Amino acid sequence: MVLPAWARHSIGTVRVLLTNDDGIEAAGLQALRRALVALPSVQLAVIAPDGNRSAMARSITTRRPLWVQEVDFDDGTVGYATDGTPVDCVRLANLGLVEGFEAELVVSGINHGSNLGDDITYSGTVAAALEAIVLGLPGIAVSQQSISRELDFRTGAGFDFELAASFTARLVAELQDVPLPEGTLLNINVPGAHPTGVEVARLGKRVYRDELALVDEDSTHPSGRRLYRIYGDASFERDETGTDLAAGRRRSDRRHPDPLRPHRPSRTRFARPL
């Protein structure tokens, strides 16, 4: 019989729901899943969208039923994929989709791309963690900057999720001894360059150079349909001292001789209380 990951561990551990907005097959979620399922102190259930649901924020599905199917993972465990949103995934778990499993912590990610500043209000990754707060559970959102060190809302090219996965797993393990304060959401952003520590920062204010740009016109359409692009690049001209944007920009300005080469810092600093 195929068992879900949470059923493989003993009673008395923390029950973690893992979800994301990039889809159940996304490399970020799979890296984090492997790191969490390896912890003997974690009972893990995975419920995630069946495809990419980025930038859906706290959207929910109300006008139709949700399809759910089991997904086999390569370690013999199973997860659940749905055609709903990231918030739907958290609701499915909370309403008993996985028999005998009641989440105590929601972890969302690892997102393919950063979630910084005002962008968290659009993020499906952060929305899933926020839904945990709404339900009275702690929530952690994890996002990974690409090796191209982008800082805007668009994902870059090339990701190494291993450090973010191991850091998050260590954090989850420590939460048993140092629980999150009630109503706390952790929004973790891991830089594309190799970090040497942990910095706690407030949210920054995004400035975008958006414009209404006509891309194409459909002369065959009865109403003269037009195609517009309304999003532009991010600007960082504001003074963002002490913010997540400033921390991300400082790290992005640094260069590693081989950003694809695995690297483990000898010492990672955790702030306490977490």
Side-chain angles (χ1 to χ4, degrees), residues 87-126:
V87 173
D88 288 333
C89 294
V90 179
R91 301 295 297 186
L92 284 167
N94 184 65
L95 293 171
L97 176 67
V98 184
E99 184 177 357
F101 179 86
E102 184 177 349
E104 298 172 300
L105 168 68
V106 174
V107 179
S108 182
I110 302 167
N111 188 64
H112 294 221
S114 302
N115 276 304
L116 300 167
D118 298 338
D119 289 349
I120 71 165
T121 61
Y122 306 113
S123 167
T125 302
V126 178

Side-chain angles (χ1 to χ4, degrees), residues 209-222:
R209 296 188 291 270
D210 292 336
E211 61 179 10
L212 182 65
L214 180 63
V215 177
D216 199 2
E217 295 187 63
D218 184 359
S219 59
T220 65
H221 194 274

Side-chain angles (χ1 to χ4, degrees), residues 19 25 43 54 60 64 96 106 109 117 130 175 182 221 226 252:
T19 189
E25 300 292 347
Q43 297 176 358
S54 295
I60 57 175
R64 63 173 179 83
V106 174
L130 180 58
L175 289 180
E182 185 176 356
H221 194 274
R226 295 178 178 179
S252 294

Side-chain angles (χ1 to χ4, degrees), residues 33-268:
R33 182 189 66 81
R34 290 189 294 269
L36 290 173
V37 80
L39 294 176
S41 60
V42 167
Q43 297 176 358
L44 185 68
V46 180
I47 306 176
D50 58 10
N52 193 295
R53 305 286 193 278
S54 295
M56 296 200 74
R58 295 194 64 230
S59 297
I60 57 175
T61 306
T62 61
R63 292 177 173 83
R64 63 173 179 83
L66 295 172
W67 286 103
V68 177
Q69 68 180 51
E70 287 191 1
V71 175
D72 296 322
F73 297 133
D74 55 11
D75 58 2
T77 64
V78 300
Y80 299 87
T82 176
D83 62 348
T85 70
V87 173
D88 288 333
C89 294
V90 179
R91 301 295 297 186
L92 284 167
N94 184 65
L95 293 171
L97 176 67
V98 184
E99 184 177 357
F101 179 86
E102 184 177 349
E104 298 172 300
L105 168 68
V106 174
V107 179
S108 182
I110 302 167
N111 188 64
H112 294 221
S114 302
N115 276 304
L116 300 167
D118 298 338
D119 289 349
I120 71 165
T121 61
Y122 306 113
S123 167
T125 302
V126 178
L130 180 58
E131 188 66 15
I133 304 302
V134 172
L135 297 173
L137 303 172
I140 300 176
V142 189
S143 301
Q144 173 69 58
Q145 185 185 48
S146 81
I147 60 172
S148 63
R149 322 281 168 79
E150 84 295 335
L151 285 172
D152 63 7
F153 58 88
R154 296 166 298 186
T155 57
F159 292 91
D160 181 356
F161 295 105
E162 294 309 311
L163 182 59
S166 62
F167 174 86
T168 305
R170 178 179 168 184
L171 178 63
V172 169
E174 292 200 10
L175 289 180
Q176 292 182 295
D177 296 325
V178 189
L180 286 172
E182 185 176 356
T184 299
L185 186 159
L186 293 183
N187 182 43
I188 301 171
N189 280 275
V190 180
H194 300 296
T196 56
V198 179
E199 182 172 350
V200 179
R202 61 184 172 85
L203 290 174
K205 177 64 178 176
R206 283 292 202 186
V207 178
Y208 283 103
R209 296 188 291 270
D210 292 336
E211 61 179 10
L212 182 65
L214 180 63
V215 177
D216 199 2
E217 295 187 63
D218 184 359
S219 59
T220 65
H221 194 274
S223 301
R225 187 171 61 171
R226 295 178 178 179
L227 182 66
Y228 289 97
R229 178 179 290 113
I230 63 174
Y231 296 113
D233 296 327
S235 172
F236 305 98
E237 297 173 359
R238 294 169 57 103
D239 180 9
E240 291 290 342
T241 303
T243 68
D244 56 353
L245 291 171
R249 180 171 53 188
R250 283 198 307 275
R251 174 55 60 180
S252 294
D253 287 341
R254 302 174 187 177
R255 291 294 180 265
H256 189 278
D258 183 3
L260 285 173
R261 180 172 60 85
H263 172 78
R264 297 293 182 269
S266 58
R267 179 169 170 264
T268 302

